[in-house]
């Protein structure tokens, strides 16, 4: 069973950048659409960005122009480059397929604060 392990989170000041990684313990079919999600305190988990097998990307309006999703199929890894971070980006970030297929990983905490 494929397990997803997210990493790269941390504490960053507003305007800063982070790069998140999501590594799969097994092979992710290259045909799967992969995505990043996030869950802020007291809120439901929401979709942030997705990438198709061919590299087409879509973003939630709240992160468009600031975040970039990418994938390396050979490494079974999905990335999220986050620039111009805002306090409202504070959340636990998860990756999964879209639609959701795998068990959720532990996520990685991103905190944007002075």
């Amino acid at each position: 069973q494929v397990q997803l392990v997210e990493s790269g989170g941390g504490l960053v000041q507003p305007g800063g950048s982070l790069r998140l990684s999501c590594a799969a313990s097994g092979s992710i079919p290259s045909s799967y659409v992969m995505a990043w999600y996030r869950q802020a305190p007291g809120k439901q988990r929401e979709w942030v960005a997705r990438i198709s097998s061919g590299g087409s990307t879509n973003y939630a309006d709240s992160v468009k122009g600031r975040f970039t999703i990418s994938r390396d199929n050979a490494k079974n890894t999905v990335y999220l480059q986050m620039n111009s971070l805002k306090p409202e980006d504070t959340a636990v970030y998860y990756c999964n397929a879209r639609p959701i297929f795998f068990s959720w990983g532990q996520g990685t905490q991103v905190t944007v604060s002075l």
Side-chain angles (χ1 to χ4, degrees):
Q1 187 173 1
V2 172
Q3 293 185 327
L4 302 172
V5 179
E6 300 90 351
S7 63
L11 173 64
V12 62
Q13 294 185 351
S17 298
L18 285 173
R19 189 190 192 212
L20 306 184
S21 298
C22 170
S25 61
S27 179
I28 298 176
S30 59
S31 60
Y32 280 26
V33 174
M34 293 299 293
W36 282 93
Y37 304 79
R38 67 185 181 186
Q39 186 168 19
K43 295 187 177 181
Q44 290 190 337
R45 193 171 299 177
E46 64 176 357
W47 165 74
V48 174
R50 67 180 180 185
I51 184 166
S52 72
S53 59
S56 297
T57 57
N58 296 93
Y59 300 92
D61 288 343
S62 58
V63 307
K64 198 172 295 182
R66 301 187 297 121
F67 289 12
T68 302
I69 187 172
S70 61
R71 67 192 291 172
D72 185 333
N73 292 331
K75 295 182 178 179
N76 292 303
T77 302
V78 183
Y79 304 97
L80 186 67
Q81 177 67 43
M82 305 187 297
N83 299 328
S84 303
L85 283 161
K86 304 175 180 180
E88 51 263 44
D89 294 320
T90 295
V92 179
Y93 284 71
Y94 305 85
C95 70
N96 210 312
R98 186 166 174 86
I100 294 166
F101 181 80
F102 304 106
S103 298
W104 292 103
Q106 84 288 349
T108 185
Q109 175 71 50
V110 172
T111 302
V112 185
S113 179
L114 292 170

